[in-house]
Amino acid sequence: MTIPVRQVRGAERRRRFDLRSTAMFFVLLAIILCVLAFLARTAADMAERRPVWAGILALLATAAALRLRSRRRRLSAGGYAVRAARALEEAADKASGSLAAAPAAGAAASVPAAAPVPVTDFAALDPDGFEQAIAELCELAECREVEVVGGAGDLGADVVARTPDGRRLVIQCKQYCDDNKVGSQDMQRFGGTCFTIHEADVAAVVTTSDFTAPALEYALQCGIVCVNGDGLEAWRRGTGPSPWERAPLGP
């Protein structure tokens, strides 16, 4: 036979009112209030009888309160200082890591770029490209102040530079085919401007073909260096002299 069990209500499960605990609480509260009232009355009597002592005690109490407050502030400021020191230490570690990586980057940047490789077929270039290739050969030979000045009104100068020994170099570029040689008229036009106008110390005519006999004779009389196709190829490969190495050092 099943005996029904009566469920305990939520209100009955709650803690019942404790009269004894409540009475003790109010008794303690009354005692505390009486003590505070006695202290206040004693302080008032002391202030009336001995105001100086009362003032001193008030000052001491105020100083103690301020000291405790400042101590709390110092503690909080110390915490801030510790956190700031930690942040500075982390920043210093990051900066040292960046400085350690900087020399490697600087070393990579200081590696000189590879020198441009001159072309192998000068005849395949256009006139501007041929002048630029001659200028690159001068740069590879450690000439300074290399400049391509060819164009309309250049008065015969296509490339100007300063040789490694400091002489002013003026080059006229003639990109001719094999059956078209540089003649004496071309040489005379260049000879009339290279020294007087361009103030060349070394004047040279560089061609992909060759020179006629009258042109070579005129160049020899004027002191113009002639570099034909074979001489140009030897200069490019480094097996032959450069134009300024062909020229005499004297005036």
Side-chain angles (χ1 to χ4, degrees), residues 213-237:
L216 291 174
E217 183 179 358
Y218 179 84
L220 182 60
Q221 294 175 357
C222 296
I224 299 175
V225 178
C226 296
V227 182
N228 59 11
D230 295 336
L232 175 58
E233 184 65 20
W235 179 24
R236 182 188 71 82
R237 293 185 178 182

Side-chain angles (χ1 to χ4, degrees), residues 121-146:
D121 188 5
F122 293 103
L125 300 174
D126 58 8
D128 293 337
F130 180 62
E131 294 174 359
Q132 185 63 40
I134 299 301
E136 290 179 1
L137 285 176
C138 294
E139 289 179 348
L140 289 175
E142 298 183 354
C143 287
R144 305 183 305 273
E145 303 174 11
V146 181

Side-chain angles (χ1 to χ4, degrees), residues 48-62:
E48 291 178 359
R49 297 177 182 177
R50 298 179 179 178
V52 176
W53 285 102
I56 293 174
L57 290 176
L59 290 176
L60 291 175
T62 304

Side-chain angles (χ1 to χ4, degrees), residues 167-184:
R167 292 179 291 172
R168 178 171 173 79
L169 172 66
V170 178
I171 299 177
Q172 185 180 63
C173 302
K174 292 294 186 182
Q175 189 186 26
Y176 288 168
C177 55
D178 294 338
D179 57 353
N180 185 15
K181 296 182 180 181
V182 179
S184 60

